[in-house]
Amino acid sequence: MTQPIEIYGAKTGNCLRVAIALEEASIPYAVRRVDLASGEQRSERHLALNPAGKVPTIIDHSRGSSPLVLSQSNAILLYIAERYAGHLLPETEPFLRAIVLERFFYFVTDVIAPSHAGFFLHRNNESTGAELLNRHSLNALIAAERFLADTPFIAGKEFSLADVVAFTIVLASESQLDWTELPRLRQWFLTVQMRPAVERGLKAFDPPLGQ
Ligand SMILES: N[C@@H](CCC(=O)N[C@@H](CS)C(=O)NCC(=O)O)C(=O)O
């Protein structure tokens, strides 16, 4: 084990957000791909790490003999920002920090959570509830246009954790949005998409070339 951080995951929104944050932090990390389709997340080996049988999970070995294991994506994002990527969550400016957190939680609770719940209902053939939750999530996403009225990023002049969480859900919802009604969100989306750290993070769980 040469890298200080290992990330167990797959190409899903929760995992990609963590990979983008790690890329933004510019710290070396090792990707351990978990094959969700074959149920590897429920293997004995993975359950020993994350008893919920989910991804992502990170192990931070930088504390020496007692590695830190974290398995909630949002806790992982906050940890990475606080420990390794100060620019994602300003430490010394309480006002700015509060805005970043407010918008971070807006996307996590008002956009991503209903979208995930809708997906769960859809998979269980509850189409009415699924559509309702999906619409609820999309409406909150559309309302996020207002965050970009005066600034280029979701929580101000700089890219932050709020942009990390907003980006993957916009990416996943891209085809369902009427972009002509969302000029600011569109410009923001194009800008964020071109960040080298975002580009690298999005590829983190791709199979190595030749596989
Ligand atoms: N609250 C957890 C949710 C984790 C989660 O639901 N992960 C999904 C992938 S995004 C998963 O592992 N699904 C596989 C399964 O449920 O079997 C987090 O934010 O990390």
Side-chain angles (χ1 to χ4, degrees):
M1 216 292 305
T2 49
Q3 313 289 32
I5 293 190
E6 288 177 277
I7 171 168
Y8 288 77
K11 199 163 185 168
T12 72
N14 284 334
C15 298
L16 291 174
R17 287 189 275 284
V18 171
I20 291 171
L22 286 167
E23 290 289 348
E24 285 284 338
S26 297
I27 39 168
Y29 64 97
V31 172
R32 312 285 182 226
R33 286 189 297 130
V34 177
D35 183 359
L36 299 182
S38 71
E40 195 183 349
Q41 68 278 27
R42 291 184 293 277
S43 66
E44 215 174 298
R45 218 176 103 221
H46 191 73
L47 289 174
L49 197 60
N50 179 352
K54 303 274 183 195
V55 291
T57 298
I58 66 159
I59 312 181
D60 186 342
H61 295 273
S62 69
R63 295 195 312 174
S65 59
S66 51
L68 174 71
V69 179
L70 287 175
S71 59
Q72 279 294 332
S73 60
N74 297 309
I76 297 171
L77 290 177
L78 290 166
Y79 173 70
I80 294 168
E82 293 195 317
R83 171 113 204 248
Y84 296 110
H87 68 289
L88 294 180
L89 183 60
E91 233 176 85
T92 51
E93 295 164 84
F95 176 80
L96 206 51
R97 185 182 173 88
I99 299 292
V100 170
L101 286 174
E102 189 211 34
R103 296 191 182 164
F104 171 80
F105 284 111
Y106 177 86
F107 280 96
V108 167
T109 63
D110 294 8
V111 185
I112 296 172
S115 166
H116 283 189
F119 182 68
F120 176 79
L121 289 182
H122 176 73
R123 257 196 345 210
N124 286 280
N125 300 317
E126 298 280 355
S127 57
T128 309
E131 274 167 33
L132 206 62
L133 282 171
N134 193 42
R135 192 68 251 168
H136 183 68
S137 166
L138 283 176
N139 285 342
L141 198 50
I142 290 163
E145 175 86 354
R146 71 177 185 271
F147 295 146
L148 299 159
D150 303 314
T151 57
F153 293 106
I154 295 287
K157 284 193 300 211
E158 309 294 342
F159 183 86
S160 75
L161 264 195
D163 296 286
V164 175
V165 291
F167 179 72
T168 50
I169 189 68
V170 171
L171 185 64
S173 313
E174 199 180 349
S175 64
Q176 299 178 72
L177 294 170
D178 177 1
W179 287 100
T180 55
E181 299 288 317
L182 301 167
R184 295 187 193 111
L185 202 65
R186 187 167 185 278
Q187 183 53 50
W188 163 87
F189 186 56
L190 295 173
T191 305
V192 173
Q193 213 165 21
M194 277 166 21
R195 283 178 82 83
V198 171
E199 280 183 5
R200 289 194 301 271
L202 288 178
K203 292 186 192 142
F205 300 97
D206 288 353
L209 286 175
Q211 265 191 29

